[in-house]
Amino acid sequence: MSQFLQPTILLLREGTDTSQGRAQIVSNINAVQAVADVVKSTLGPRGMDKMIQTGPKVTISNDGATILNLLEVVHPAARVLVDIAKSQDDEVGDGTTSTTLLAAELLKEAKPFIEEGIHPQIVIQGYRKALELALEKLEGFSINISRDSPQEKRDTLLKCAQTALNSKLLANTKQFFSELVVSAVEKLDPNILDRDLIGIKNVTGGSVTDSFLVDGVAFKKTFSYAGFEQQPKRFENPKICLLNLELELKSEKENAEIRIEKPEEYQQIVDAEWALIYEKLEIIVKAGAQIVLSKLPIGDLATQYFADRNIFCAGRVPQEDLLRVQKATGGQVQTTVNGLNPETFGTCGLFEEVQVGAERYNLFKNCPQSRTATIVLRGGAEQFIQEAERSLNDAIMIVRRCFKANKIVAGGGAIELELSRYLRHYARSVTGKTQYIVNSYAKALEVIPRTIAENAGLNSIEIMNKLRQRHAQGGEEGRWYGVDINGASGVCDTHSSFVWEPSLVKRNALCSATEAACAILSIDETVKNPKSDQDTKMKPKGQPGRPPMGMRR
Amino acid sequence: MSLAFDDYGRPYIILRDQGQKKRMKGLEAYKSNILAAKAVANTLSSSLGPKGMDKMLVSPDGDVSVTNDGATIVEKMEIQHPTAKLLVELSQSQDAEIGDGTTGVVVLAGKLLEQALTLLDKGIHPLKISDGFDRACDVAIKHLETISEEIDIQANEHEALIQAACTALGSKVVSKRKRELGKIAVTAVLDVADLARRDVNLDLIKIQTKTGGSVEDTRLISGILIDKDMSHPQMPKEVKEAKICLLTCPFEPPKPKTKHNINISSAEDYKKLYLQEQQYFVDMVKLVKDSGANIALCQWGFDDEANHLLLQNELPAVRWVSGTDVELIAMATGARIIPRFQEITPEKLGKAGSVKEVQFGTSNERMLVIENCQCTKAVTILIRGGSQMIVDEAKRSIHDAICVIRNLIKDNRIVYGGGSAELACAIQVLQYADEVSSVEQYAIRSFADALEGIPCCLADNCGLNPITSVAQAKARQLQESNPRIGIDCMELGTTDMKEQRIYETLSSKKQQIQLATQVVKMILKIDDVIAPDDY
């Protein structure tokens, strides 16, 4: 009996939570399901929004990555989902919800295998194989649009932007916004397509359709000193001087100290300081600048000096705005005025200060080498504009991707169904356990059309039957059938109804969802260390700060 | 809140502080959101219209404000609920964009939500409802444009503008003097307006308040009023044909900005320094005097010594004038702001007819009035009233009126008020509903009902029977196909709003309908609320 009395060996710190084995995998899968369920209802054109309150801040969003981020998921396995949504967001910008759903569905399909005792690695292998086949097929199915004329290409971009906006708050004005987004992206340098060069400015008030695109830069009026209002507010073809320099009467060096021996010297020092600032201002004026922008403050003295000479100035211009002005006007930011060369000045067709809502905005329009654009968003409430900004962001990313990749597939669940059909077909030709697993992968892909149909309040089983039947007929005409939320039959050819998505989005979604699913499946043990500050945190909760209510009176 | 349970019924810990979070889903979420938003709208509905009532709001510090302005009420209510906050922002964005109609927009949103709730109960998908609202909104906006009329803002001494201002002021506490105040507002805006560009910079209209007197004493100063007095009591109280020197440097010996100290080793040096400082003052005053200026306004302070010298040299001066005032004065008098004494030249001086110190009532407070400026580009409205609350409310009301006039200068199309425009739109939307074959027609019809809610609310607030009067007005609109029939709130005996001259700007009405629809759509799209438990 002595072996039962052996002392337990303490390997881990007290309070450490360990769980392992098959049960652990199943438990992880369940946790992932729960998180995916939260974002499930946001998918598709009839997807709903979530309102999440964190502290005093309220966010209303339809974007999968935003929602998952705000949920503050702490479960280790479920965090994987948050991470893939984020990586999808960073990589392609759209399709975050579908990636999350797909990963969760893959796991759900894997669960029975795990419970039945199939080794997780076999499932993983099967999934990897299926992914490989699906990607290959995706490449084959995607439609190349690169050889089309510019007008047709623009049309394609518009369609893709509209598909991205379909599920968002802006769905009803998607035509308007897709134009806006595509025009903005077209402004960029086609080789780089730097996202940072599209500025989005939010101004509350007005209707969403009052939003407008500035082919150049727009930024809010900066803090101004007395004398600003006396400056001219409109220029045609101005010379714009960009500075990273403080134009203020102040000490040259922070810790410098002067010793003055004679009272006469005193005036000299004062004069010298004035001379310094005046010298700088004079150089700028002599060089012929008409608009002076600086990242650092422009003081009241300089403001008035410029006002006297009909020059417009703005200090404390935010870094990214100054950068955009630089790109748009072709100027260069100077850190000193010594040797200021008029060649470093930028120019634009028209500069104007205008009232937008309650704010005044500086607009630089018709820039000669405009490689930048600014979208000024209007809307009724702060949250509304924020969500609109997120949606536009998605659309911009999609259009950018489309610009580069030139390959599209039809949305509305059509491509998923087609891939699913192909995988099922393939599964029949293999022997061994892989057959089941590839089949499950095919089934998991169907989650996208099914959820779109469910969210739209359609009978998902009926729709799925119709779609499967269409796709099973094979050939060209059945390939692009997807969910139609408006029509009576519930299915339509989404390619001919212009629900288009870049194939890159799907590619990335499939890859990251499969990777995530495989990662979770391969975890068979979690060791969770207790929080080091757990004790100190728990204590104040145990002792209520106020006396019990009954004691009063 | 827990999202999932394992096989033993224990909850998974998936979210941080999951125990302290609450989640509402589906129908429960819609209903709770709608109810919260409706509660805000109901609070405001009694403030709508010429006979709308005021609200008294007490801030946490005990400050009391009484107001009828929708944006101010919701702002001071300090609403916590996230959905209700959306309505607050709705009202504020109407305020930012248009400045007027802040109550109307919230009431309309409330009515729309009320309708949405009944539709939800019928089992219509929320997105179908919002689609329907959206389509109805488009129809209403189009119809508003067809019934709008262009007015000539110049004609008859800007009579139309004054009428529009009166409509805006009609619902406020100052409604008794609306004509006078309306005139003041119109003159003020026209003075600063850039009619060619149709742009009005409201920063150039300064609204100064002073308790005491009555609202009738409110007046427009075609110039600047600053809350300052002459630096020395013996200086002249009035300067005619003033030549103003605007200084942004102090009447002090100049100081280098670099850290410095002066080493004085002998008594002579000390004396020399003293004398030099004295000389500075003399030079400064001389420079100002030589330029021909007869009054100096300074952004900074001055030494007592300098003050004394200024008095001796008969140069009235004002100290500590704020930066914004300096700017406004410069704009109005055509002065240039002078950063140091060496740069004073006669051309840089501003000219004004008179600079006068005025005293109010028996109190010892004085203000400076700069009038008949060379180029009047900035004006001041001095608001008087019996108590701080009245003055504050009058200020808000005049702000509304100014905004209305500005909007008319931007876009001179008007619609008629008194609920007539809403009724006309409602009739149009109803007609459109019959042409729609899908489920949306229910939503479109409800949109029309919500629009009718505005005249209903107006009539209710005026003590009329809401249903009878709205029904009568609607019937007459249909019979006579006259979109100007509204609710006779003032009991003038006619329901034709053109005769009553109730003008509202088209832009304001359009904005109200669009913004309200937008926010309602947003609320209807939320099916899941995750919030801390005390929500």
Side-chain angles (χ1 to χ4, degrees):
Chain A
M1 291 300 278
S2 63
Q3 67 265 39
F4 294 116
L5 294 174
Q6 263 180 3
T8 40
I9 300 164
L10 281 176
L11 198 61
L12 300 167
R13 221 148 51 115
E14 198 186 342
T16 308
D17 182 19
T18 64
S19 33
Q20 52 186 322
R22 195 166 293 152
Q24 170 63 17
I25 302 178
V26 172
S27 137
N28 278 344
I29 291 174
N30 288 342
V32 168
Q33 293 308 318
V35 173
D37 269 350
V38 177
V39 289
K40 199 172 179 182
S41 71
T42 64
L43 188 77
R46 286 259 186 270
M48 304 299 280
D49 288 1
K50 308 274 157 190
M51 175 153 82
I52 298 167
Q53 193 179 17
T54 38
K57 200 171 159 279
V58 179
T59 311
I60 297 175
S61 184
N62 178 279
D63 183 56
T66 311
I67 296 167
L68 287 176
N69 197 15
L70 286 170
L71 275 178
E72 297 187 317
V73 174
V74 290
H75 191 279
R79 274 214 65 90
V80 175
L81 277 199
V82 182
D83 292 341
I84 56 162
K86 194 173 178 308
S87 83
Q88 175 83 5
D89 198 31
D90 294 343
E91 187 61 26
V92 285
D94 190 32
T96 50
T97 309
S98 37
T99 312
T100 319
L101 281 186
L102 201 56
E105 195 66 16
L106 284 172
L107 287 170
K108 194 172 162 193
E109 290 297 327
K111 198 166 130 186
F113 296 128
I114 304 291
E115 280 169 343
E116 280 164 22
I118 295 179
H119 195 278
Q121 285 303 337
I122 293 177
V123 180
I124 292 173
Q125 258 174 27
Y127 276 1
R128 292 237 164 98
K129 177 77 193 154
L131 172 68
E132 202 180 294
L133 289 165
L135 289 182
E136 201 178 286
K137 216 61 203 163
L138 181 71
E139 207 59 30
F141 285 149
S142 46
I143 301 161
N144 205 326
I145 49 162
S146 60
R147 52 178 188 271
D148 294 337
S149 70
Q151 184 54 41
E152 281 171 51
K153 180 162 182 175
R154 190 185 156 85
D155 273 354
T156 319
L157 295 179
L158 284 176
K159 303 280 156 43
C160 290
Q162 282 172 17
T163 311
L165 290 174
N166 249 339
S167 61
K168 314 288 184 192
L169 260 178
L170 303 175
N172 279 308
T173 45
K174 64 182 177 190
Q175 236 106 32
F176 176 80
F177 278 103
S178 57
E179 282 282 342
L180 216 63
V181 166
V182 172
S183 311
V185 176
E186 278 177 341
K187 285 271 176 297
L188 299 182
D189 189 341
N191 296 321
I192 314 168
L193 289 180
D194 189 351
R195 163 70 185 82
D196 289 343
L197 291 180
I198 299 180
I200 299 183
K201 301 281 161 189
N202 303 343
V203 190
T204 43
S207 146
V208 270
T209 46
D210 291 342
S211 308
F212 58 94
L213 178 79
V214 181
D215 58 341
V217 190
F219 59 86
K220 204 155 91 180
K221 181 190 146 185
T222 51
F223 179 83
S224 65
Y225 288 94
F228 177 76
E229 290 299 335
Q230 283 180 299
Q231 296 177 344
K233 297 295 164 56
R234 194 191 141 95
F235 285 104
E236 277 173 26
N237 300 317
K239 286 182 184 144
I240 305 165
C241 175
L242 306 169
L243 295 172
N244 187 358
L245 182 72
E246 209 165 340
L247 292 176
E248 219 166 349
L249 181 65
K250 56 171 268 203
S251 59
E252 278 299 299
K253 286 272 177 294
E254 276 300 312
N255 293 316
E257 200 180 294
I258 331 166
R259 279 170 200 270
I260 303 164
E261 298 294 336
K262 287 193 208 112
E264 299 88 61
E265 288 171 18
Y266 193 82
Q267 181 64 39
Q268 280 170 17
I269 302 284
V270 174
D271 285 347
E273 278 185 349
W274 282 82
L276 273 174
I277 174 94
Y278 271 131
E279 194 189 347
K280 285 183 198 165
L281 298 177
E282 208 171 315
I283 292 174
I284 297 172
V285 174
K286 276 229 177 98
Q290 287 169 300
I291 294 175
V292 181
L293 302 179
S294 177
K295 206 180 100 184
L296 295 171
I298 293 182
D300 51 351
L301 175 65
T303 308
Q304 288 145 20
Y305 188 90
F306 287 138
D308 281 351
R309 283 155 188 82
N310 279 335
I311 293 171
F312 176 87
C313 74
R316 294 191 191 153
V317 179
Q319 167 80 29
E320 69 265 21
D321 287 329
L322 199 66
L323 209 73
R324 273 202 288 273
V325 175
Q326 184 184 350
K327 289 268 178 190
T329 62
Q332 281 159 23
V333 177
Q334 304 289 310
T335 45
T336 171
V337 290
N338 292 326
L340 190 73
N341 188 343
E343 275 171 29
T344 62
F345 290 170
T347 189
C348 66
L350 178 71
F351 164 79
E352 212 177 355
E353 187 192 277
V354 293
Q355 183 95 24
V356 181
E359 318 265 13
R360 291 196 84 82
Y361 264 76
N362 298 322
L363 304 185
F364 296 84
K365 289 194 214 164
N366 307 333
C367 301
Q369 34 194 314
S370 188
R371 282 280 166 257
T372 168
T374 310
I375 296 172
V376 178
L377 262 184
R378 313 294 317 276
E382 188 60 39
Q383 279 94 344
F384 185 91
I385 301 190
Q386 275 168 8
E387 172 66 3
E389 186 183 344
R390 277 191 291 270
S391 316
L392 281 193
N393 215 359
D394 282 9
I396 289 174
M397 292 295 273
I398 286 292
V399 172
R400 267 186 63 205
R401 283 290 163 191
C402 237
F403 224 97
K404 280 184 182 167
N406 279 331
K407 279 191 176 164
I408 56 143
V409 292
I415 182 68
E416 283 85 359
L417 272 167
E418 186 62 18
L419 290 176
S420 163
R421 182 194 65 81
Y422 168 73
L423 288 177
R424 273 176 209 273
H425 188 73
Y426 170 82
R428 273 181 233 129
S429 67
V430 285
T431 48
K433 289 173 191 159
T434 325
Q435 187 191 39
Y436 284 111
I437 291 156
V438 173
N439 219 359
S440 304
Y441 195 96
K443 200 174 162 213
L445 282 174
E446 285 177 357
V447 70
I448 305 289
R450 197 171 61 233
T451 313
I452 294 178
E454 266 170 26
N455 285 347
L458 303 171
N459 184 346
S460 62
I461 297 171
E462 192 191 319
I463 300 275
M464 289 310 289
N465 283 339
K466 280 187 190 166
L467 284 175
R468 273 195 210 139
Q469 183 248 341
R470 285 279 186 185
H471 282 259
Q473 281 169 356
E476 289 287 321
E477 67 265 37
R479 182 183 289 172
W480 297 129
Y481 265 81
V483 183
D484 175 22
I485 49 148
N486 294 317
S489 72
V491 297
C492 71
D493 186 336
T494 51
H495 180 251
S496 54
S497 57
F498 304 120
V499 185
W500 293 357
E501 286 178 84
S503 62
L504 201 78
V505 174
K506 289 294 164 204
R507 188 187 175 84
N508 209 51
L510 284 175
C511 286
S512 39
T514 315
E515 282 306 317
C518 293
I520 290 170
L521 284 177
S522 61
I523 302 167
D524 77 335
E525 178 156 351
T526 314
V527 178
K528 199 173 161 195
N529 283 318
K531 269 190 196 155
S532 49
D533 56 348
Q534 209 168 29
D535 292 335
T536 47
K537 256 192 176 173
M538 292 306 281
K539 263 183 187 161
K541 270 184 198 161
Q543 302 165 342
R546 52 180 177 203
M549 293 307 273
M551 299 295 282
R552 289 199 150 173
R553 257 201 276 183
Chain B
M1 171 182 97
S2 29
L3 295 168
F5 299 93
D6 66 7
D7 300 341
Y8 308 103
R10 285 181 311 188
Y12 283 111
I13 296 178
I14 294 178
L15 309 181
R16 179 171 300 147
D17 301 332
Q18 145 170 304
Q20 287 155 37
K21 282 187 185 164
K22 205 173 125 188
R23 181 171 184 206
M24 270 190 292
K25 272 176 80 176
L27 208 57
E28 189 196 0
Y30 303 130
K31 288 202 170 163
S32 127
N33 284 338
I34 290 176
L35 286 177
K38 244 179 67 186
V40 177
N42 282 345
T43 322
L44 281 193
S45 66
S46 70
S47 292
L48 191 75
K51 301 231 170 129
M53 303 303 276
D54 289 358
K55 310 275 168 205
M56 183 183 256
L57 300 146
V58 186
S59 79
D61 307 333
D63 292 338
V64 179
S65 41
V66 176
T67 181
N68 179 281
D69 181 55
T72 315
I73 297 172
V74 286
E75 189 198 324
K76 300 220 165 163
M77 274 164 77
E78 292 189 15
I79 287 164
Q80 294 289 325
H81 193 284
T83 330
K85 258 194 199 151
L86 282 177
L87 286 199
V88 177
E89 279 173 25
L90 169 70
S91 178
Q92 278 162 358
S93 68
Q94 172 86 10
D95 196 32
E97 184 74 11
I98 302 292
D100 179 43
T102 51
T103 315
V105 67
V106 175
V107 173
L108 183 60
K111 297 277 174 207
L112 281 173
L113 287 172
E114 207 169 287
Q115 295 292 338
L117 199 62
T118 41
L119 290 174
L120 278 174
D121 284 342
K122 283 184 189 160
I124 299 176
H125 194 283
L127 286 180
K128 291 266 182 206
I129 302 176
S130 70
D131 275 357
F133 280 180
D134 214 43
R135 284 160 78 171
C137 174
D138 286 346
V139 172
I141 298 290
K142 279 211 190 84
H143 189 62
L144 264 187
E145 279 178 16
T146 52
I147 63 168
S148 69
E149 288 176 23
E150 271 191 29
I151 52 159
D152 185 0
I153 54 171
Q154 307 280 359
N156 206 357
E157 289 177 356
H158 307 292
E159 181 61 29
L161 291 184
I162 297 174
Q163 283 303 336
C166 287
T167 311
L169 291 168
S171 61
K172 312 289 180 183
V173 73
V174 291
S175 60
K176 213 176 110 203
R177 326 277 349 154
K178 64 181 176 190
R179 176 106 200 143
E180 288 85 342
L181 293 179
K183 261 188 187 154
I184 288 177
V186 170
T187 329
V189 174
L190 287 174
D191 276 351
V192 300
D194 183 347
L195 286 177
R197 272 178 68 203
R198 297 194 161 206
D199 186 32
V200 183
N201 188 351
L202 291 186
D203 290 345
L204 297 178
I205 301 177
K206 196 180 163 191
I207 301 181
Q208 186 87 37
T209 58
K210 190 89 196 163
T211 35
S214 71
V215 181
E216 284 96 281
D217 297 336
T218 299
R219 65 192 189 103
L220 178 76
I221 295 157
S222 60
I224 319 283
L225 184 85
I226 49 174
D227 199 357
K228 292 280 176 298
D229 50 9
M230 297 289 182
S231 62
H232 198 287
Q234 282 172 308
M235 283 180 183
K237 301 285 175 234
E238 186 173 4
V239 181
K240 289 246 158 107
E241 298 302 320
K243 285 187 182 142
I244 302 166
C245 177
L246 273 181
L247 291 165
T248 51
C249 50
F251 265 92
E252 273 169 17
K255 277 195 197 116
K257 295 277 176 179
T258 314
K259 208 155 76 179
H260 60 280
N261 53 34
I262 307 172
N263 292 347
I264 296 168
S265 41
S266 64
E268 288 91 73
D269 270 357
Y270 184 79
K271 206 158 191 186
K272 230 157 121 193
L273 187 72
Y274 175 74
L275 282 175
Q276 204 181 0
E277 280 193 356
Q278 292 302 302
Q279 193 55 42
Y280 270 124
F281 289 129
V282 177
D283 287 349
M284 284 171 183
V285 175
K286 191 166 176 300
L287 279 167
V288 177
K289 202 72 187 165
D290 283 354
S291 70
N294 53 10
I295 183 163
L297 299 175
C298 182
Q299 199 182 352
W300 303 99
F302 20 95
D303 236 88
D304 278 347
E305 202 126 14
N307 203 3
H308 182 71
L309 259 172
L310 287 168
L311 180 67
Q312 276 186 345
N313 284 293
E314 288 173 352
L315 185 66
V318 185
R319 55 185 157 185
W320 299 120
V321 181
S322 73
T324 37
D325 283 342
V326 167
E327 191 163 20
L328 281 175
I329 295 168
M331 298 292 280
T333 62
R336 288 291 172 182
I337 301 165
I338 299 163
R340 61 174 178 169
F341 288 96
Q342 283 91 325
E343 287 168 31
I344 300 176
T345 53
E347 304 88 68
K348 287 188 173 178
L349 302 181
K351 294 183 185 65
S354 76
V355 177
K356 195 161 58 169
E357 202 180 272
V358 288
Q359 200 170 354
F360 295 105
T362 52
S363 66
N364 235 348
E365 287 169 72
R366 294 188 179 87
M367 283 185 171
L368 270 185
V369 179
I370 304 171
E371 267 182 316
N372 299 331
C373 305
Q374 191 184 27
C375 37
T376 316
K377 254 197 178 160
V379 294
T380 309
I381 298 174
L382 175 66
I383 297 173
R384 307 296 313 275
S387 72
Q388 191 62 43
M389 281 177 237
I390 291 195
V391 171
D392 285 347
E393 176 67 359
K395 185 175 173 181
R396 282 190 286 269
S397 315
I398 287 195
H399 173 258
D400 279 10
I402 288 175
C403 288
V404 168
I405 298 159
R406 177 193 64 176
N407 294 335
L408 273 179
I409 289 176
K410 273 189 184 162
D411 180 353
N412 63 348
R413 285 177 295 173
I414 55 146
V415 291
Y416 294 95
S420 65
E422 282 89 352
L423 259 184
C425 287
I427 292 169
Q428 191 67 23
V429 169
L430 260 186
Q431 272 174 16
Y432 171 69
D434 295 338
E435 297 163 17
V436 176
S437 58
S438 53
V439 191
E440 278 94 340
Q441 64 162 285
Y442 290 99
I444 295 170
R445 218 164 270 147
S446 302
F447 191 89
D449 286 347
L451 280 176
E452 271 177 33
I454 299 279
C456 252
C457 190
L458 267 179
D460 202 15
N461 288 347
C462 299
L464 300 168
N465 184 339
I467 297 167
T468 339
S469 39
V470 171
Q472 275 169 3
K474 202 172 158 186
R476 278 194 59 196
Q477 277 212 8
L478 278 170
Q479 268 168 18
E480 301 167 25
S481 61
N482 176 359
R484 299 182 300 270
I485 306 289
I487 306 292
D488 179 19
C489 299
M490 303 310 290
E491 288 165 35
L492 294 179
T494 169
T495 51
D496 191 331
M497 290 300 137
K498 195 172 186 176
E499 282 170 39
Q500 282 212 14
R501 298 203 191 175
I502 309 291
Y503 295 165
E504 287 191 59
T505 56
L506 173 67
S507 51
S508 166
K509 267 275 149 1
K510 251 167 81 176
Q511 190 76 226
Q512 277 186 18
I513 297 179
Q514 278 173 336
L515 282 182
T517 316
Q518 213 176 76
V519 165
V520 167
K521 266 170 62 190
M522 183 163 196
I523 294 175
L524 282 176
K525 207 166 183 284
I526 301 168
D527 78 330
D528 204 340
V529 180
I530 296 170
D533 207 9
D534 50 356
Y535 159 71

